[in-house]
Amino acid sequence: MADTRRRVKLYALNEDRQWDDRGTGHVSSSYVERLKGMSLLVRAESDGSLLLESKIQPDTAYQKQQETLIVWSEADNVDLALSFQEKAGCDEIWEKICQVQGKDPSCDITQDIVEESEEEKFEDMPDAAPPIELPPCELSKLDEISEVFNSVLPSPIRREKLANAIEYEGYIKKIVELFHMCEDLENFEGLHQLYEIYKSIFLLNKNALFEVMFSDEFIFDTVGILEYDPSKPEKASHRDYLRNSASFKEVIPISNEELRQKIHQTYRVQYIQDVVLPTPSVFEENMLSTLSSFIFFNKIEIVSMIQDDEKFLTELFAQLTDEATDDNRRRELVNFLKEFCTFSQTLQPQAKESFFKTLSNLGILPALEVILSMDDPEVRQACTDIIMYIVEYSPSMVREFIMQEANQQDDDILLVNLIIEQMICDPDPELGNALQLSGVLRILIDPENMMATANKTEKTEFLSFFYKNCMHVLTAPLLANTTEDKPSKDDYVTAQLLSLILELLAFCVEHHTYHIRNYIFNKDLLRRILVLMKSSHGHLALSALRFVRKIISLKEEFYNRYIIKGNLLKPIVDAFLTNGQRYNLLNSATLELFEFIRVEDIKSLVAYVVETFYEQLKDVDYVNTFKGLKLRYEQHMDRQNVKSSLDSVPSILRNHRYRRDARSLDEEEEIWFEQDEEEMEDGEAVVPVTDMLKNKMDEELDHISKIIDGKRARESENKPPSPLKNPTRSPSPPPPSRKFNSSPPAASTSPPASPEVKTNNGGITGLVDYPDEDSDEDEDDDRNSSIPAKRPRLAT
């Protein structure tokens, strides 16, 4: 078993001045040949991988905090911290660091970081600089004390000396006694000076001083001193708020006295940082990093203590789900649970996974179903925050619970339907809670975070469940509001809600191709959505337009035929014409839609737009979009005319050049086998190949027409070609008709209808030519040429 004394958590400070957990492991100190020196090594507890390899530099400042924490900065401005499980392990590693740097292990910091300008300033200062002598802590010496404290702040060396002097002489206790005296005498000038002195102590950024200032003995005195800010006209009342308004409530009795004190301390220090202290400047913000670390590690300890107390959490969830619990009591329980989940965000990944598994085993999701339907807005908001924490961490856990309860309960009380109903019924005009819940839904229905195992496919099962049991709840407000040719309700809140629903539906169109397509067709949903183009709220009309744009961007003929058959672009064209030439978002978005159809050359939609709307849109000449669509349409019609003219060409000419090697795989067959795996899993019908064959035939006919035009040109310019040298040769028989995924023809005993072409081995073959190569007709014309004729390719 590994030595628990060496068990540590590794942290790194990110750009937002927050500590990121880099993993749990065991630390050691040893000589590393590659680094040429003694180094700190942290190996992961899970797999033994190397989490940290840091050489103990002789000039790096290492700081020991809270008896179990070592903090330092690497050369590349990366702040690191080791949090030890036991104090003995921290002391052991600290002694190794001090031994390498030649320092006394009794100190809390090994070096001072001196900036270049300060090095020049203090280059003559001896290494063993004398300690700072503090003036007597008396009322008459306040000016002198304030001057000493302010003078040391620019120098890291002098800041460290001052912090050591304050800690050694118990100066904070003396300042507090002086504060009581000034407050009794109502000496506001002295109180203002004490405020500046105490603020300077904060900027010393010394963890040992914070431990004293935030202890139960001095925490309220610390808050009291900070109430007398000289920059404010009146004294603040922070102590009164912390004692009365923010009194601590034990929703569940806490038997662990250490836990109770840690909760009190953390709340009050957080209040000091967020409310009491003035907004720090950039310089001061960097100076207060230790204060943020103090709060951060306190939260980790609180979560760990509560999680280890099984009796506490069991009682908490029992009361949450008990029908006899009154609303006020349940509100307190929910708020506590929310704050508990908030604190859990500081945990490392492994600890966080254990945390949410514990909550799941205790029944947090059934409890949330109970409290989510409460009328209290505060409770609903807290419940929403808790759901967001759980879904962001483990959406699969929530989906599994939803699928299990679907077999036991009605649709109306399913957790996902309760989330949708709360989103729809949000009383806030700005829909703040609804927006948060829509984010929860998006995570739950996102296939990107769904897992597929050997036994089941989460995507297939959950999406089938969602569209069967939940989609009708989500679209109910939309369908209810679009029963006529214009929105039945067009107020601001309804428009905001419908925009939110359309964003979710657009997400479904992008990620749920099979399920959402069937739902749109069955409900004629796109027609209903386009009714919103007549809304008086521009953002709602744009949401409807974005939904259509998302569908068209898929370039699927299923959707294209649906749009054409229902003439579903008419509401968009009408809104565009009604908007006139005003240069706004609706104008730009509509033009971009038609430009996409033109650039992507979606043939069916190009023909539909030109044939149906060109007369209305031809006068829009400030862009070339509609003229370009007309040009595309005319090119398509020319190809159709060429195809019609080929009907009179003998079949032998049409088929002769384009016989295909029977061994090659048809392009359509390749498309068949390359169908999207998602659609095949969902049981989606395979796209009919008729349209693909038609497009392929159009391309081949274009190429044939060019060959015919070339031959006709040569015939008009040259004399008729001479007779063939080999009059007995007959054209090769026409190839068999192309069939999609056809099997080889059965053997026949009857003789062939036309002469055979022999290969060297006597097998029966057919001529095969390929584009951009000589055909068999060209070969016959060139038999008298001195250049050897190119041999035709043969297909067995």
Side-chain angles (χ1 to χ4, degrees):
M1 181 177 178
D3 189 355
T4 57
R5 292 181 306 166
R6 298 287 187 93
R7 191 168 185 263
V8 295
K9 295 178 183 177
L10 175 64
Y11 294 92
L13 198 66
N14 60 26
E15 296 178 354
D16 299 326
R17 309 301 297 172
Q18 299 294 326
W19 288 101
D20 290 335
D21 195 315
R22 296 297 177 84
T24 300
H26 292 84
V27 64
S28 62
S29 60
S30 60
Y31 185 85
V32 177
E33 181 66 28
R34 182 176 61 84
L35 300 178
K36 304 297 182 183
M38 293 293 293
S39 304
L40 296 177
L41 306 176
V42 178
R43 296 194 177 275
E45 188 176 50
S46 58
D47 56 6
S49 60
L50 195 62
L51 300 179
L52 175 70
E53 187 179 57
S54 174
K55 181 180 178 181
I56 303 176
Q57 301 288 353
D59 55 349
T60 296
Y62 291 84
Q63 188 173 4
K64 184 180 177 184
Q65 301 177 5
Q66 297 180 335
E67 297 185 340
T68 58
L69 190 66
I70 297 177
V71 182
W72 75 98
S73 296
E74 294 284 347
D76 52 355
N77 296 325
V78 175
D79 291 339
L80 300 173
L82 291 176
S83 177
F84 289 78
Q85 180 174 331
E86 297 184 9
K87 177 179 181 296
C90 182
D91 293 341
E92 187 176 341
I93 296 298
W94 182 251
E95 289 178 6
K96 295 287 186 181
I97 295 173
C98 293
Q99 181 180 356
V100 172
Q101 295 194 344
K103 301 294 181 180
D104 185 353
S106 62
C107 67
D108 287 337
I109 187 169
T110 61
Q111 300 288 335
D112 294 311
I113 303 175
V114 182
E115 298 178 1
E116 182 177 356
S117 59
E118 293 175 326
E119 289 178 353
E120 297 173 358
K121 181 176 180 180
F122 299 107
E123 59 183 358
D124 297 331
M125 180 178 289
D127 293 337
I132 294 178
E133 295 185 5
L134 295 174
C137 194
E138 300 173 356
L139 200 59
S140 59
K141 300 290 184 178
L142 285 179
D143 289 336
E144 185 178 349
I145 296 172
S146 180
E147 183 179 353
V148 170
F149 278 40
N150 289 329
S151 65
V152 304
L153 291 179
S155 169
I157 295 177
R158 293 176 63 79
R159 283 203 306 269
E160 180 65 24
K161 297 297 182 182
L162 176 61
N164 290 336
I166 292 173
E167 181 182 3
Y168 180 76
E169 297 185 19
Y171 212 70
I172 290 178
K173 183 177 181 180
K174 297 177 182 179
I175 292 176
V176 168
E177 293 174 352
L178 199 58
F179 164 70
H180 290 157
M181 183 186 303
C182 290
E183 200 168 36
D184 292 340
L185 297 174
E186 297 185 354
N187 184 351
F188 292 103
E189 181 180 356
L191 291 170
H192 290 162
Q193 288 178 314
L194 286 173
Y195 172 90
E196 296 294 344
I197 293 171
Y198 227 68
K199 181 181 174 182
S200 299
I201 296 177
F202 270 92
L203 296 179
L204 294 177
N205 208 27
K206 183 74 170 178
N207 189 76
L209 299 182
F210 289 154
E211 292 283 359
V212 177
M213 295 161 66
F214 301 147
S215 64
D216 289 344
E217 182 181 0
F218 297 121
I219 181 70
F220 280 100
D221 295 320
T222 297
V223 174
I225 293 172
L226 295 176
E227 288 179 347
Y228 293 92
D229 187 349
S231 64
K232 295 181 180 180
E234 295 182 359
K235 165 186 167 295
S237 302
H238 298 304
R239 283 175 292 179
D240 181 65
Y241 174 81
L242 290 174
R243 285 195 176 105
N244 302 317
S245 302
S247 58
F248 179 66
K249 298 179 181 179
E250 292 187 38
V251 293
I252 302 293
I254 298 176
S255 57
N256 188 336
E257 184 63 28
E258 182 183 358
L259 172 60
R260 183 186 295 106
Q261 292 178 353
K262 190 69 69 174
I263 292 174
H264 281 300
Q265 184 187 61
T266 304
Y267 175 80
R268 292 163 181 167
V269 175
Q270 187 83 61
Y271 182 84
I272 291 173
Q273 184 188 47
D274 296 340
V275 180
V276 179
L277 289 175
T279 303
S281 63
V282 175
F283 168 73
E284 293 174 339
E285 186 176 1
N286 294 330
M287 296 286 289
L288 292 173
S289 60
T290 303
L291 179 60
S292 300
S293 300
F294 185 94
I295 297 171
F296 175 83
F297 290 108
N298 264 18
K299 290 179 179 179
I300 292 179
E301 291 185 38
I302 291 172
V303 174
S304 299
M305 290 180 184
I306 294 177
Q307 189 176 350
D308 292 340
D309 191 343
E310 297 181 0
K311 183 179 179 181
F312 180 90
L313 289 177
T314 303
E315 180 65 22
L316 172 69
F317 282 97
Q319 294 191 27
L320 266 177
T321 54
D322 189 355
E323 295 181 358
T325 304
D326 61 73
D327 291 346
N328 291 333
R329 176 67 173 167
R330 186 171 279 113
R331 184 187 306 114
E332 293 175 354
L333 294 169
V334 172
N335 285 330
F336 175 84
L337 186 58
K338 171 194 169 183
E339 194 155 357
F340 186 39
C341 291
T342 302
F343 279 19
S344 72
Q345 302 307 298
T346 61
L347 296 175
Q348 62 175 338
Q350 291 180 347
K352 189 179 291 187
E353 181 180 2
S354 173
F355 171 82
F356 282 110
K357 281 185 177 179
T358 301
L359 294 186
S360 178
N361 294 334
L362 291 170
I364 187 171
L365 293 176
L368 292 177
E369 283 186 330
V370 174
I371 59 181
L372 190 60
S373 56
M374 292 181 63
D375 295 332
D376 191 331
E378 182 181 351
V379 170
R380 287 201 305 268
Q381 181 59 54
C383 185
T384 300
D385 293 336
I386 296 170
I387 291 175
M388 178 61 78
Y389 286 134
I390 298 174
V391 171
E392 283 183 342
Y393 180 74
S394 180
S396 292
M397 181 179 76
V398 180
R399 283 192 288 261
E400 183 179 359
F401 169 77
I402 293 171
M403 296 288 290
Q404 289 175 352
E405 71 169 352
N407 301 323
Q408 306 169 0
Q409 301 180 2
D410 297 333
D411 290 353
D412 295 340
I413 55 177
L414 294 176
L415 177 60
V416 65
N417 283 344
L418 289 175
I419 292 174
I420 295 174
E421 290 170 4
Q422 291 300 320
M423 182 187 79
I424 293 173
C425 301
D426 188 5
D428 181 11
E430 298 299 329
L431 301 184
N433 197 37
L435 184 62
Q436 192 174 3
L437 289 171
S438 72
V440 172
L441 285 174
R442 183 177 296 232
I443 295 174
L444 287 176
I445 63 177
D446 187 357
E448 297 297 326
N449 60 48
M450 296 182 182
M451 299 182 297
T453 63
N455 299 326
K456 66 175 183 176
T457 302
E458 185 180 17
K459 176 181 177 181
T460 302
E461 293 183 359
F462 185 77
L463 291 184
S464 298
F465 160 81
F466 181 80
Y467 278 85
K468 179 181 178 181
N469 302 89
C470 310
M471 181 58 87
H472 66 281
V473 182
L474 178 62
T475 57
L478 173 63
L479 297 176
N481 205 41
T482 55
T483 55
E484 303 175 0
D485 60 348
K486 64 179 181 179
S488 56
K489 289 180 63 178
D490 201 24
D491 57 278
Y492 175 75
V493 176
T494 302
Q496 288 282 86
L497 175 61
L498 294 181
S499 294
L500 208 57
I501 293 173
L502 285 177
E503 290 296 323
L504 285 172
L505 291 177
F507 179 84
C508 293
V509 166
E510 184 177 1
H511 294 88
H512 307 163
T513 53
Y514 167 69
H515 293 89
I516 189 63
R517 184 171 62 216
N518 287 346
Y519 190 84
I520 290 174
F521 291 168
N522 292 334
K523 299 292 184 181
D524 199 12
L525 188 63
L526 184 55
R527 184 185 304 277
R528 303 291 287 272
I529 288 175
L530 286 169
V531 171
L532 302 177
M533 292 295 299
K534 296 182 179 180
S535 171
S536 60
H537 299 277
H539 65 88
L540 180 56
L542 283 170
S543 295
L545 185 57
R546 281 198 301 271
F547 184 80
V548 178
R549 174 65 173 81
K550 181 68 70 175
I551 286 179
I552 292 178
S553 68
L554 300 178
K555 297 189 287 187
E556 292 186 3
E557 280 302 310
F558 287 108
Y559 282 123
N560 296 342
R561 288 196 296 271
Y562 170 59
I563 291 172
I564 295 169
K565 183 177 179 180
N567 194 19
L568 296 182
L569 292 187
K570 184 178 185 304
I572 296 176
V573 173
D574 291 344
F576 177 73
L577 295 174
T578 303
N579 185 67
Q581 294 190 2
R582 285 181 293 175
Y583 183 59
N584 53 21
L585 283 175
L586 180 62
N587 176 276
S588 299
T590 305
L591 290 175
E592 193 276 336
L593 173 69
F594 288 112
E595 182 68 12
F596 178 82
I597 295 174
R598 183 193 70 81
V599 172
E600 297 297 326
D601 195 15
I602 307 176
K603 295 180 176 58
S604 56
L605 293 183
V606 168
Y608 163 58
V609 172
V610 173
E611 292 174 358
T612 310
F613 305 113
Y614 185 72
E615 289 301 319
Q616 298 173 264
L617 300 171
K618 64 182 180 181
D619 294 332
V620 181
D621 55 0
Y622 52 88
V623 291
N624 295 322
T625 298
F626 300 109
K627 291 181 180 178
L629 284 169
K630 182 67 179 301
L631 180 60
R632 289 278 194 192
Y633 174 74
E634 291 172 349
Q635 292 172 347
H636 297 164
M637 294 305 296
D638 289 343
R639 294 192 186 98
Q640 292 295 327
N641 293 335
V642 171
K643 177 183 176 183
S644 299
S645 66
L646 288 175
D647 291 340
S648 60
V649 179
S651 61
I652 187 170
L653 180 59
R654 294 201 305 269
N655 293 332
H656 185 73
R657 179 175 177 83
Y658 283 85
R659 294 192 61 185
R660 302 182 61 176
D661 191 334
R663 294 169 299 179
S664 63
L665 187 66
D666 284 346
E667 180 181 351
E668 290 78 21
E669 293 182 61
E670 294 178 2
I671 295 175
W672 175 282
F673 290 110
E674 291 175 0
Q675 285 294 314
D676 186 82
E677 182 180 352
E678 170 202 334
E679 298 178 355
M680 298 300 288
E681 285 180 354
D682 293 344
E684 180 179 8
V686 179
V687 180
V689 301
T690 305
D691 295 325
M692 293 184 289
L693 289 174
K694 178 178 177 298
N695 294 336
K696 181 63 178 176
M697 183 62 73
D698 288 343
E699 296 175 0
E700 293 180 350
L701 290 174
D702 289 342
H703 194 73
I704 291 174
S705 65
K706 294 178 181 178
I707 296 173
I708 294 173
D709 292 341
K711 286 186 178 292
R712 288 175 178 172
R714 290 197 299 272
E715 289 174 358
S716 62
E717 295 175 0
N718 303 326
K719 294 179 180 181
S722 60
L724 296 176
K725 294 294 183 180
N726 187 7
T728 61
R729 182 185 179 195
S730 299
S732 60
S737 58
R738 294 172 57 190
K739 293 184 179 179
F740 179 73
N741 204 19
S742 61
S743 58
S748 175
T749 58
S750 59
S754 58
E756 301 171 352
V757 180
K758 301 288 185 177
T759 62
N760 292 335
N761 58 8
I764 300 175
T765 64
L767 287 173
V768 176
D769 282 313
Y770 295 88
D772 301 326
E773 294 183 1
D774 296 337
S775 68
D776 54 328
E777 293 94 344
D778 296 334
E779 179 185 349
D780 291 340
D781 292 339
D782 296 336
R783 284 184 184 274
N784 295 329
S785 173
S786 59
I787 302 175
K790 184 172 182 179
R791 293 183 60 84
R793 298 187 181 183
L794 302 179
T796 58

